[in-house]
């Protein structure tokens, strides 16, 4: 039962605190077509010359800073309200509908080793 709760909480945190942030605005941009399929044929043209797609930063430092600040604030807000049953119930009902097609999270045992 605890594993089911953890999976649902992971989806809830990902949905509200990561997906529904300023990253949506960045994601909403145009994606180039790649006849090669691996984007090796895509280049960005700049006043300083062409940049291969694989070398292009797709998010600026300012955008990353804004994104991380928003994620941390939303995570903090959710974590501090986990003892509010009405809040948890409302979030749970909403996220179950919004993430019904999502895959279940996986346990990444070797993800963090403390180093």
């Amino acid at each position: 039962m605890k594993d089911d709760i953890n999976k649902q909480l992971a989806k809830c945190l990902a949905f509200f605190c990561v997906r529904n942030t300023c990253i949506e605005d960045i994601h909403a941009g145009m994606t180039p077509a790649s006849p090669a399929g691996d984007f090796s044929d895509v280049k960005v043209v700049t006043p300083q010359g062409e940049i291969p797609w694989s070398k292009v930063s797709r998010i600026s430092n300012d955008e990353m800073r804004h994104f991380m600040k928003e994620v941390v604030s939303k995570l903090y807000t959710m974590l501090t309200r986990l003892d509010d049953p009405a809040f948890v119930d409302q979030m749970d009902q909403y996220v179950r509908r919004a993430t019904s097609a999502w895959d279940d999270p996986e346990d990444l045992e070797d993800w963090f080793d403390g180093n």
Side-chain angles (χ1 to χ4, degrees), residues 24-89:
E24 283 291 341
D25 297 333
I26 296 166
H27 178 257
M30 295 175 59
T31 302
S34 173
D38 64 358
F39 295 92
S40 63
D41 54 339
V42 175
K43 295 181 180 20
V44 175
V45 179
T46 74
Q48 291 79 27
E50 293 183 345
I51 305 170
W53 184 252
S54 63
K55 302 285 185 187
V56 172
S57 172
R58 294 170 189 83
I59 185 169
S60 71
N61 285 339
D62 286 343
E63 289 170 323
M64 183 59 114
R65 191 175 303 107
H66 180 227
F67 172 61
M68 291 306 299
K69 184 174 181 177
E70 191 173 347
V71 168
V72 169
S73 294
K74 286 184 174 190
L75 286 168
Y76 173 77
T77 300
M78 288 197 72
L79 292 171
T80 59
R81 296 188 67 192
L82 286 177
D83 61 349
D84 177 349
F87 174 79
V88 171
D89 186 54

Side-chain angles (χ1 to χ4, degrees), residues 3 6-7 10 103-112:
D3 192 49
N6 288 343
K7 286 179 180 179
D103 293 337
D104 276 341
E106 299 175 21
D107 183 359
L108 305 176
E109 293 179 18
D110 299 328
W111 165 65
F112 182 75

